[in-house]
Amino acid sequence: MSAVPASTYRIQLTADFRLQDAAAIVDYVRDLGADWLYLSPILRAEPGSTHGYDVVDHRSIDPERGGADGLAALAEAAHAAGLGVLIDTVPNHMGVATPAENAWWWDLLQHGQEAEHAKAFDVDWESGDGRIRLPILGDDEDDRGALDELRLEGGELRYFDHRLPIAPGTDGDGASAREVHDRQHYELVNWRRADAELNYRRFFAVNTLAAIRVEDPAVFDGSHIEIGRWFDDGLADGLRVDHPDGLLDPGAYLDHLAGRIGGAPVWVEKILEGAEDLPAEWKTLGTTGYDALGDVDRVLIDPDGLPTLARLADVELTRDAWDELVHTTKRGIADGILGSEVRRLARLAPEVDDAVDALAEVLTAFPVYRSYLPLGDEYLDVALEVAETRRPELEETFAILAPRLRDATDPLAIRFQQTSGMVMAKGVEDTAFYRYTALTSLTEVGGDPAETDISVAEFHHRQARRQTGWPSSMTTLSTHDTKRSEDVRARIDALSEVADRWSEHAVALHTTNGFPDRALEQLVWQAAVGAWPIERERLHAYVEKAAREAGDSTTWTAPDDTFEAALHAAVDGLYDSRRANAALVDAVTDVEAAGWSNSLVAKALQLTMPGVPDVYQGSELWDRSLVDPDNRRPVHYAERRAVLARIDEGWLPTVAADGAAKLLVTTRLLRLRRNHPERFTEYTSITAAGPAADHVVAFSRGGALTVATRLSLRLASQGGWRSTTVTLPEGHYVDVLSGREVDGGEVRVDTLLAQYPVAVLTVRDGDSVSLDDASQEDDAR
């Protein structure tokens, strides 16, 4: 096992796929070629949790996910097979949906500010008159009316299914349930009051995820007991840190973490905006890879088709239009579901008039997720300048706030940094991304939709930069958080090449069963094209979530039943209306082959470009998943084992609907990276020449060369490769995908890519190179 992985394979653990089940596929992951197993969170979570990010106990492994015995079995199997173990961790928050499951939260509710674990949670007691507000009451004329549903039972307060503790000595004198409630350290309020009046910090706007103060040494120690044991006992080899931007001081946290786990490798789930870079001082090998995802997608997009797509969705694909939309959605979030966080900031500046309005405006204008003062103060300058331009009447207020927001020791600046990322995530990823729908593959986590495409030269520039600055940062194409899987996006990317044809299909779909929200309509049609064939119930679930996230025609808190009925009728029409179904199937036919090509190319680029590639569970075959929970469905490993066995017997699958060609690309390149890391130590672009040179993406990593196709539909319409060539470094190579042997120098692309839309050439050792070297080495191990 290497100290730093050559690659990872991400597994989502649930009650239906436990650590013991993961141990049973270790041999498959090894044979596939991945270097480390990458596990979703495994600490004890809310009962029934499908994701594990709602941790309720830091002292134990979730029994639903296999418990301590399961981790021991997995670690033993992985290490025996030469694989490392990387585990996702959640330092920012805990699950509090069921207080009785979370001893820290129960203690806080029962004993208030005197609780042993009071310092673990970030509560503004003063604003609640010494009580923490719990937004769990249902709608009624007022909260007092809803409190009539309270009852005393088993020494606890009960509100329907909610169980809550009672402070010692507060339930005597024959008091009623309402009277007992009024004596508690918590106050039950209507769920709608959370947006403006909540007085505990959350994960984004999720009331059932309460942020913890991991900056407190005692809280750090208490929340890392089990995590530390994994390294003390040799069970884990590295960590992924979820949402570091929510922490008070991410850099200090990473320092502390490194000391506890002996300097083991750590990656952070950090979204970078534009040219933003990670702080070099952080003890991390890099991000979890969303920045690489955007590079791969954009080099496969045809800019010529974008104006037509924009007209269909009634959006402008310009920087100004995107910035204006983002300002609208971020300000809506700051004033809406995160209003309580903004008001808490304002309470730190009681002497400042209009503090709520001014702080909301600066948060809205902040161009990246957050600063790490004194690092990133230039982003605050940008935000203040934009805010002053938009709101000149608040100029004096901004001038008063600015020096405090720049002071790294000021509580206002500290909390502002924890809040800006929340506003960005909810305003951009979870709102604007669902409204800006000209080409929906652009609106992916970590992406900047105003950057619609990149040139081959820019792609090379970014990879060279990654190789120089963060060579062990992760790369990814699909995760548990992506809005669409890589194969869905690959097919949607191809719509940019047939924009006129797509326009005809979209008009036909609208005529047969459209609805009055043009932007959302494009999102629905493109999702259907990208994921087709998709089960009806999956598409229904996706479009309802997407519509409510967009928030234009319906919302989570106030669903528009009439609009949603039309939305679901439109989805049903894709299956039941002959005309609508024909238009959809014709659209899929237009881009299906190009989607396959894009998928294979994207996977090959990801697996050979600089960084540590992560393969999301099951994505080694075609995976047409949409946003969670759709992308967390069970994986059929028996099918994948069978395909891998055939490939290892010498089968070279065609590029077709079964996806076997993608598994070929995945396994051959994972094995190459694992068994020959010395061939991936540099990055140099490779020159293409001839009539179709613009359709080539090619680079050398030292001992491995990638030559790939881009914009395959436009390429075909222009007569194919013709005399296009690439100039390879001198040497003797073999394509690890097709087995074709190639000498260096000027090589015709049509010959090189005769079988697959991508070739990966590696240097020959001696007189020949066996494509089975990787599997033979695995057997020998």
Side-chain angles (χ1 to χ4, degrees), residues 346-369:
R347 289 196 292 273
L348 294 172
E351 75 287 357
V352 180
D353 293 335
D354 298 321
V356 170
D357 190 7
L359 287 165
E361 192 65 31
V362 180
L363 288 165
T364 297
F366 212 77
V368 297
Y369 273 68

Side-chain angles (χ1 to χ4, degrees), residues 410-423:
D410 191 311
L412 178 62
I414 292 170
R415 189 168 295 280
F416 180 93
Q417 292 176 92
Q418 291 178 282
T419 307
S420 61
M422 302 164 71
V423 176

Side-chain angles (χ1 to χ4, degrees), residues 274-332:
E276 182 189 11
D277 210 345
L278 277 180
E281 297 84 352
W282 282 10
K283 287 186 170 60
T284 178
L285 292 179
T287 74
T288 52
Y290 291 119
D291 40 322
L293 178 157
D295 293 346
V296 173
D297 268 330
R298 278 159 178 73
V299 82
L300 300 178
I301 289 172
D302 185 352
D304 291 347
L306 294 175
T308 297
L309 299 177
R311 286 193 295 272
L312 283 173
D314 196 23
V315 301
E316 292 182 31
L317 287 174
T318 64
R319 171 63 59 189
D320 287 346
W322 172 246
D323 288 347
E324 191 62 35
L325 173 60
V326 166
H327 184 274
T328 299
T329 56
K330 288 181 68 177
R331 185 64 204 236

Side-chain angles (χ1 to χ4, degrees), residues 583-604:
L584 175 63
V585 171
D586 285 348
V588 172
T589 300
D590 284 346
V591 294
E592 186 172 50
W596 294 339
S597 176
N598 284 346
S599 287
L600 297 184
V601 166
K603 182 54 66 179

Side-chain angles (χ1 to χ4, degrees), residues 82 189 217 232 486 493 636:
V189 299
D232 294 341
E486 60 205 63
D493 286 343
H636 301 293

